[in-house]
Amino acid sequence: MVSPVLEQLATEKAGQVKLVKVNADESPQLSRRFDVRSIPTLMLFRGGRHVVTQVGAAPAAALRPWLEDALNPVLRSDDG
């Protein structure tokens, strides 16, 4: 359900973001490592460091500003 929206945003932000999908059932250790409790869980990393998380499905109109804020170094916090 969220996949087409994410692919659209990744295309729009080509060169700025890399979309990586992980199947939580096939990678339970990764889900535990990042404390994923709901599907979908979207996580943005910069330089290997967790920046922000979005839990739950959302339309492009909601995910676009979330992504923009996370990519803007002035607006986002690096607190993880």
Side-chain angles (χ1 to χ4, degrees):
M1 182 169 148
V2 173
S3 207
V5 172
L6 294 177
E7 290 171 10
Q8 175 187 347
L9 291 173
T11 298
E12 291 174 14
K13 299 292 181 188
Q16 294 179 325
V17 298
K18 179 179 182 179
L19 177 63
V20 177
K21 299 178 196 177
V22 176
N23 183 319
D25 293 330
E26 293 177 4
S27 300
Q29 71 286 1
L30 200 55
S31 295
R32 284 189 300 273
R33 178 178 174 191
F34 292 105
D35 197 27
V36 173
R37 297 174 188 225
S38 297
I39 305 296
T41 294
L42 311 177
M43 302 178 90
L44 186 103
F45 292 82
R46 182 176 289 233
R49 188 170 172 215
H50 176 254
V51 176
V52 67
T53 298
Q54 162 73 34
V55 178
L63 290 178
R64 186 172 284 107
W66 172 80
L67 183 58
E68 291 287 341
D69 288 348
L71 292 174
N72 186 335
V74 174
L75 298 177
R76 71 175 165 76
S77 167
D78 279 331
D79 294 336

